[in-house]
Amino acid sequence: MNKLFLVAVVAAVAIGTSQAFVPAFHRFRRSPSVRCCNDGFEDSINHEKVVAVRRTCAEELGLNEMSEEELVKNRENLVCLVECIAKKHELADETGDLLHEDLAKAVKDHFSVAEWKVPLLDDFIKQCFDHAEEEHEKHPTEEGKCNPEGFEFSYCPWRHFTLACPEELQDDSERCEAIRGKLKSDEDVGFWNNDLNETK
């Protein structure tokens, strides 16, 4: 299987927003209100390739008829969606544990389309694997539930790249300033709880 990268999908899944989150998931990318680095990455071919797999997983999990609000209110839905995507790209084993070597290669291939990200990738990948493992040790997979390791990993690159975005590419909207402020202070952005609504 072609090992497309799941982070572009799962970062958006983790954030829980899209331009038009219709039941059939015809369009899938982060809301402009959450896309805080205007480097053109989300218009790349790499980013678009993941749409079909994401749609398939949503259908398999019975989430394709769910509204955006319903989906993001239930963290378990997001965890299961990420696990499904990772497995389909052969970036996680049958238990949902991430395959580090394969995932690291996929991350590099995927994000290297934005040149400014290339020198940052190795360090960010290591930090994100460490973060995912630490969180998984604290909160092991519960019997009968989806593995949260992929979900924990996916949020991490988005956080790092949002903060590292070159100043000239940063969205200076009030919402993005609020997001960067929360990320800098290690606060949980908590998009599925809409805790940034007041900054819209």
Side-chain angles (χ1 to χ4, degrees):
M1 177 185 293
N2 180 23
K3 295 190 176 175
L4 305 174
F5 176 48
L6 80 154
V7 169
V9 171
V10 294
V13 170
I15 294 164
T17 53
S18 70
Q19 285 184 324
F21 205 111
V22 293
F25 299 99
H26 292 302
R27 298 162 74 187
F28 179 75
R29 63 180 62 183
R30 261 170 284 177
S31 163
S33 62
V34 185
R35 215 180 307 142
C36 295
C37 189
N38 300 313
D39 60 2
F41 173 71
E42 304 223 6
D43 295 320
S44 70
I45 293 174
N46 281 1
H47 188 76
E48 293 299 327
K49 284 179 179 179
V50 296
V51 176
V53 172
R54 197 267 190 185
R55 183 182 297 124
T56 298
C57 283
E59 291 172 352
E60 290 179 1
L61 295 168
L63 303 177
N64 56 311
E65 298 296 332
M66 192 172 289
S67 70
E68 173 185 9
E69 183 178 17
E70 291 173 316
L71 177 65
V72 303
K73 279 184 176 179
N74 188 333
R75 185 177 185 274
E76 185 64 18
N77 289 338
L78 306 179
V79 169
C80 290
L81 193 53
V82 171
E83 181 187 79
C84 175
I85 293 166
K87 286 180 177 179
K88 285 191 180 296
H89 288 311
E90 299 178 1
L91 300 173
D93 64 20
E94 60 182 14
T95 69
D97 285 340
L98 298 176
L99 303 175
H100 288 205
E101 186 175 336
D102 291 340
L103 181 53
K105 181 180 184 303
V107 172
K108 290 180 181 180
D109 289 346
H110 193 79
F111 279 126
S112 62
V113 298
E115 292 184 7
W116 70 270
K117 294 176 177 176
V118 174
L120 304 175
L121 281 168
D122 285 335
D123 185 45
F124 286 179
I125 289 169
K126 181 182 184 308
Q127 290 184 53
C128 290
F129 276 132
D130 290 345
H131 167 75
E133 288 181 351
E134 287 174 9
E135 289 300 313
H136 201 202
E137 287 177 6
K138 293 177 188 175
H139 309 287
T141 306
E142 298 179 34
E143 186 175 353
K145 292 194 174 183
C146 297
N147 189 327
E149 187 179 9
F151 180 83
E152 295 294 348
F153 178 90
S154 69
Y155 177 83
C156 181
W158 172 79
R159 177 185 182 278
H160 280 301
F161 284 126
T162 297
L163 290 176
C165 181
E167 186 173 356
E168 65 272 17
L169 299 177
Q170 291 179 12
D171 184 323
D172 62 359
S173 67
E174 186 177 354
R175 185 174 177 87
C176 283
E177 291 290 350
I179 288 171
R180 282 190 290 268
K182 281 179 171 285
L183 294 177
K184 285 176 183 176
S185 59
D186 289 324
E187 293 181 58
D188 182 5
V189 176
F191 290 93
W192 45 85
N193 292 325
N194 295 318
D195 66 349
L196 287 173
N197 283 346
E198 69 274 11
T199 67
K200 285 186 177 178

